[in-house]
Amino acid sequence: MKRKWKWWSLFFLLLVVLVGWAVSRQTVKEQVVYDDEQKGLEKQIIVYFSHVVAENTPKGLAAQKFAELVEQKTNGRVKVEVFANGSLYSDGEELDALLRGDVQMIAPSFSKVTELIPEWQVLDLPFLFRDDDHVRRVLTGEVGEELLRLLETKGIKGLAFWSNGFKQMMSTARPLVKPDDFRGLRFRIMPSEVIEKQFRLLSGEPVAVSFDHVYRALEQHEFDGQENTISNLYSKGFYKFHPYITISNHGYLGYVVMVNESFWDHLPADIQRNMMEAMREATEWNWQKAKEQNEKELAQLRRRQDVHVYWLTAQEKEEWEKKFSPLYEAYTRQFGSRWLDDIREPK
């Protein structure tokens, strides 16, 4: 009996050794294949670019354009992976994710930056900009450069300003023409102290909701109106809920493209140059695309029988501006008049 048990023990031990050897050999083989597949990709840099709007908006399209240009200019050494529609981080999460280094690039609205740098509130003031050319002169001039430098105090490298065009007012049941038309209505807003006060001056009730939750809130009829660009209104189908559109051009919806500064500083100098070149080209493309897209989609909305578009007259705009004057007074008390003076007459 003992002899039989001994043979079984030897057989079992031999079996274990053979199985172990086979597994080990297969593991080594798989490792060799993995290494071979990765050869040539060892120096590839992956950049996660998170944003919350649709792919077919000016920002969404510019992000894709930037990714394509980076891959071309770096010969594949850098791959920018774009995550649209808040699929990676929501509107309220992406800035913290960037600061933690969990994502390398984002392009939040100016309003989001005001939470980090209060001076940026100036860009949310209504009727601050006269037209697209004025906006561009400001953001590509000395004011824009200084605003980007302020980001560096927070561990952020600002790369460029992107456009989504002027904001319009829209509502569910009636056109918003006179300031009194806003009274008692609930409005979805971006988180912004200035924008919140703007609607309160109109006797409306502002409620901050992140962009990726707006459509769901509209389905549940939580709001009577909102302010937004035509491209966002059209691409997201918001006009189905807010068919009364007032062309007011009262505010500007722009974005700042930013990268985690620590990540940027560790990139090779030639990669930085290539990415900045790609960013300049993508930015030029974005500014033109935003203007064209808003004009084209406004024309498409005007052709719809279920959408009603109204243009504010010069006199009606003056009434709105008078209502908003306390916002300028409050900003000047807090930050002085320098920012406003430089924006009104950009260098």
Side-chain angles (χ1 to χ4, degrees), residues 139-179:
L139 297 181
T140 59
E142 292 181 9
V143 171
E145 290 174 3
E146 191 167 351
L147 287 169
L148 292 180
R149 280 197 295 271
L150 289 175
L151 294 172
E152 295 175 7
T153 65
K154 305 297 181 180
I156 296 169
K157 170 73 174 176
L159 300 181
F161 293 100
W162 283 357
S163 170
N164 196 353
F166 279 94
K167 293 185 288 185
Q168 320 302 342
M169 291 292 189
M170 47 209 71
S171 66
T172 302
R174 63 176 186 261
L176 300 170
V177 179
K178 303 288 185 181

Side-chain angles (χ1 to χ4, degrees), residues 267-324:
L267 291 175
D270 63 322
I271 292 294
Q272 290 181 352
R273 286 193 299 271
N274 292 150
M275 291 183 68
M276 282 305 301
E277 185 180 344
M279 181 55 65
R280 282 190 291 271
E281 291 184 25
T283 299
E284 183 67 28
W285 185 89
N286 160 260
W287 281 83
Q288 184 62 34
K289 181 67 178 178
K291 188 174 186 300
E292 292 174 356
Q293 186 167 349
N294 278 292
E295 290 174 353
K296 176 184 175 182
E297 291 174 355
L298 175 57
Q300 291 172 333
L301 286 171
R302 291 183 67 191
R303 287 195 288 269
R304 296 185 63 94
Q305 293 185 350
D306 56 346
V307 173
H308 313 276
V309 182
Y310 180 86
W311 269 261
L312 281 187
T313 66
Q315 185 177 351
E316 289 161 349
K317 268 188 180 180
E318 285 182 15
E319 291 183 49
W320 288 33
E321 289 186 57
K322 287 178 184 177
K323 278 286 187 180
F324 295 145

Side-chain angles (χ1 to χ4, degrees), residues 86-343:
S87 58
L88 192 60
Y89 291 102
S90 71
D91 203 12
E93 298 170 337
E94 60 179 12
L95 189 53
D96 287 337
L98 182 82
L99 293 171
R100 291 194 308 267
D102 293 342
V103 64
Q104 289 74 48
M105 289 184 69
I106 60 174
S109 66
F110 299 158
S111 299
K112 291 300 296 181
V113 182
T114 63
E115 301 171 13
L116 199 63
I117 305 174
E119 289 88 340
W120 276 59
Q121 291 178 29
V122 69
L123 299 177
D124 275 340
L125 289 171
F127 297 110
L128 177 69
F129 297 111
R130 295 183 290 273
D131 51 35
D132 288 295
D133 181 62
H134 183 203
V135 179
R136 190 163 185 169
R137 287 172 58 208
V138 169
L139 297 181
T140 59
E142 292 181 9
V143 171
E145 290 174 3
E146 191 167 351
L147 287 169
L148 292 180
R149 280 197 295 271
L150 289 175
L151 294 172
E152 295 175 7
T153 65
K154 305 297 181 180
I156 296 169
K157 170 73 174 176
L159 300 181
F161 293 100
W162 283 357
S163 170
N164 196 353
F166 279 94
K167 293 185 288 185
Q168 320 302 342
M169 291 292 189
M170 47 209 71
S171 66
T172 302
R174 63 176 186 261
L176 300 170
V177 179
K178 303 288 185 181
D180 200 54
D181 292 334
F182 291 78
R183 186 176 300 276
L185 300 182
R186 286 170 56 87
F187 290 88
R188 177 268 166 179
I189 66 167
M190 295 184 289
S192 163
E193 184 178 342
V194 170
I195 296 176
E196 180 181 346
K197 289 178 180 177
Q198 168 189 285
F199 279 96
R200 293 203 184 281
L201 286 170
L202 295 169
S203 300
E205 183 184 348
V207 181
V209 176
S210 63
F211 186 78
D212 42 315
H213 292 156
V214 173
Y215 194 91
R216 190 184 317 151
L218 293 179
E219 285 184 314
Q220 297 170 2
H221 307 288
E222 294 181 14
F223 304 104
D224 304 302
Q226 63 175 298
E227 60 170 13
N228 224 318
T229 62
I230 293 298
S231 65
N232 279 349
L233 176 74
Y234 190 86
S235 65
K236 285 292 190 178
F238 294 160
Y239 62 87
K240 300 171 187 175
F241 307 96
H242 294 155
Y244 289 89
I245 304 169
T246 301
I247 305 301
S248 53
N249 291 331
H250 65 281
Y252 200 81
L253 179 54
Y255 310 106
V256 54
V257 188
M258 54 176 67
V259 62
N260 178 283
E261 190 170 38
S262 177
F263 169 79
W264 179 262
D265 289 344
H266 283 84
L267 291 175
D270 63 322
I271 292 294
Q272 290 181 352
R273 286 193 299 271
N274 292 150
M275 291 183 68
M276 282 305 301
E277 185 180 344
M279 181 55 65
R280 282 190 291 271
E281 291 184 25
T283 299
E284 183 67 28
W285 185 89
N286 160 260
W287 281 83
Q288 184 62 34
K289 181 67 178 178
K291 188 174 186 300
E292 292 174 356
Q293 186 167 349
N294 278 292
E295 290 174 353
K296 176 184 175 182
E297 291 174 355
L298 175 57
Q300 291 172 333
L301 286 171
R302 291 183 67 191
R303 287 195 288 269
R304 296 185 63 94
Q305 293 185 350
D306 56 346
V307 173
H308 313 276
V309 182
Y310 180 86
W311 269 261
L312 281 187
T313 66
Q315 185 177 351
E316 289 161 349
K317 268 188 180 180
E318 285 182 15
E319 291 183 49
W320 288 33
E321 289 186 57
K322 287 178 184 177
K323 278 286 187 180
F324 295 145
S325 60
L327 295 174
Y328 282 79
E329 294 165 6
Y331 185 87
T332 302
R333 282 196 303 271
Q334 187 173 1
F335 300 107
S337 63
R338 183 181 68 86
W339 286 101
L340 287 170
D341 294 340
D342 289 345
I343 288 173

